[in-house]
Amino acid sequence: MMATTHVLVAAGVASLTALAAPEHAPAAVAAAGLGGLFPDLDIYAGHRRTLHFPVYATGAALAALALAVTSTSAVTVAVAAFLIGAALHAALDALGGGLELRPWEGRSERAVYSHYHGRWLAPRRWIRYDGAPEDLLLASVAAVPTVLLVDGALPAVAAILGVSTVYVALRRRLAALWARLAEHLVPRLPPTLQHRVPERFVDAD
């Protein structure tokens, strides 16, 4: 799924804080959005493995949520929201497409790595690939609670959805562009840098 979808799903869940502790809702939404984005910082360092923990992050999120409920403060709520965002990200990746440059081809059986199980989880492809129309639909639906429950959230949400829409429109063209660039540029990189190029980009033919 798109990074923006992860952000909006996490923020949408965190916006429910406004129903119980409205004073903490803005911080919860911001922290959850960051948590939803955080796992994708591994995109060039073992993507969907290094910072993706579908099982362990869920356990940590549940523990942090329990602490936030029993000892509510700005810090505990923000930590819980961040971890929930990160856990949702890893779990949702298992519902999307495989780890490949053109996931609509359905060749990869690696969705997200589970450190608990010690193996890659297979993609469910409920969201066929990041940037698919249904990906944008999920992002749009997930944005609704944040807009309704958090004052002043509309401009930021609209901007994120705008970026998402552009990406969806260009997704397949971007993959084709990278494939052409990789064909000409990767062989010219120093060997130390070639090893840092994600495998799915190198094997783009």
Side-chain angles (χ1 to χ4, degrees):
M1 296 180 189
M2 296 182 289
T4 49
T5 301
H6 289 301
V7 169
L8 291 172
V9 168
V13 172
S15 69
L16 299 178
T17 303
L19 301 177
E23 68 277 15
H24 296 309
V29 168
L34 290 175
L37 181 63
F38 176 76
D40 273 348
L41 295 181
D42 68 10
I43 190 167
Y44 292 114
H47 187 39
R48 295 194 189 175
R49 178 170 184 163
T50 305
L51 297 178
H52 288 62
F53 300 92
V55 176
Y56 292 131
T58 300
L62 291 174
L65 179 60
L67 178 62
V69 170
T70 58
S71 182
T72 305
S73 70
V75 173
T76 59
V77 169
V79 169
F82 181 91
L83 291 173
I84 288 171
L88 283 171
H89 182 128
L92 287 172
D93 272 345
L95 304 181
L99 189 61
E100 54 189 310
L101 182 64
R102 295 185 286 260
W104 48 87
E105 295 178 352
R107 296 187 298 172
S108 173
E109 290 304 312
R110 297 185 302 171
V112 64
Y113 190 82
S114 171
H115 296 265
Y116 175 80
H117 295 96
R119 61 178 174 83
W120 286 90
L121 302 181
R124 298 290 184 87
R125 297 189 173 92
W126 293 359
I127 302 295
R128 292 170 297 159
Y129 57 90
D130 63 294
E134 63 268 26
D135 194 357
L136 181 59
L137 177 61
L138 175 60
S140 301
V141 172
V144 173
T146 303
V147 171
L148 294 179
L149 297 174
V150 181
D151 291 339
L154 180 57
V157 169
I160 293 172
L161 286 175
V163 171
S164 301
T165 302
V166 172
Y167 181 76
V168 169
L170 298 177
R171 175 64 174 94
R172 297 195 180 218
R173 294 180 184 178
L174 290 172
L177 175 62
W178 173 255
R180 290 195 294 269
L181 288 174
E183 179 182 359
H184 296 290
L185 295 181
V186 173
R188 294 177 171 80
L189 293 174
T192 53
L193 291 180
Q194 287 185 17
H195 292 307
R196 293 184 175 274
V197 178
E199 180 181 342
R200 66 188 184 282
F201 291 162
V202 177
D203 298 332
D205 55 350

